[in-house]
Amino acid sequence: QVQLVESGGGLVQAGGSLRLSCAASGSIFIINTMGWYRQAPGKQRELVAAMTSDGNRSYADSVKGRFTIFRDGAANTVYLQMDSLKPEDTAVYYCNLKPAYSSAIWGQGTQVTVSS
């Protein structure tokens, strides 16, 4: 059974940086997409960034130029480097693994709070 373990959330001042990490364990199909979603209070969960196993990246418009997603394929780990953080980035961030041909798996979520 695949599990995702997230770390790296916390409290930071506006303009600061955080790095989130998500490690996947278990039997993972080699073709997959790993990504990060976030959900702020009262809002729907939204895609922040995603990266396929062959290296294609995508970002939400709101984070382009500030956030970077990258993967350590050998370790089945995905990272989200978040720079120039804004108060509106405050949310619970969830790791997501979508293997080809099977259902997506979610992490437990990690809180990111950006103070103004």
Side-chain angles (χ1 to χ4, degrees):
Q1 187 173 356
V2 178
Q3 290 187 323
L4 302 177
V5 178
E6 302 155 344
S7 61
L11 173 64
V12 64
Q13 287 189 330
S17 298
L18 283 174
R19 178 179 292 185
L20 306 182
S21 64
C22 172
S25 61
S27 179
I28 301 166
F29 190 65
I30 193 170
I31 301 174
N32 59 70
T33 299
M34 294 189 78
W36 292 92
Y37 289 69
R38 68 186 180 188
Q39 188 166 19
K43 295 188 176 181
Q44 290 189 329
R45 191 173 296 189
E46 62 175 357
L47 175 67
V48 176
M51 186 172 177
T52 64
S53 49
D54 60 358
N56 292 313
R57 296 177 172 89
S58 59
Y59 296 94
D61 287 343
S62 60
V63 306
K64 283 180 181 177
R66 300 188 298 121
F67 290 10
T68 304
I69 187 169
F70 56 101
R71 295 178 59 161
D72 180 343
N76 286 317
T77 301
V78 64
Y79 302 90
L80 185 67
Q81 177 66 40
M82 304 185 293
D83 299 317
S84 302
L85 282 160
K86 303 176 181 180
E88 50 263 44
D89 294 318
T90 295
V92 178
Y93 284 69
Y94 295 91
C95 179
N96 176 277
L97 167 65
K98 176 62 179 74
Y101 316 121
S102 60
S103 301
I105 300 156
W106 293 92
Q108 79 281 5
T110 185
Q111 177 71 45
V112 171
T113 303
V114 184
S115 63
S116 56

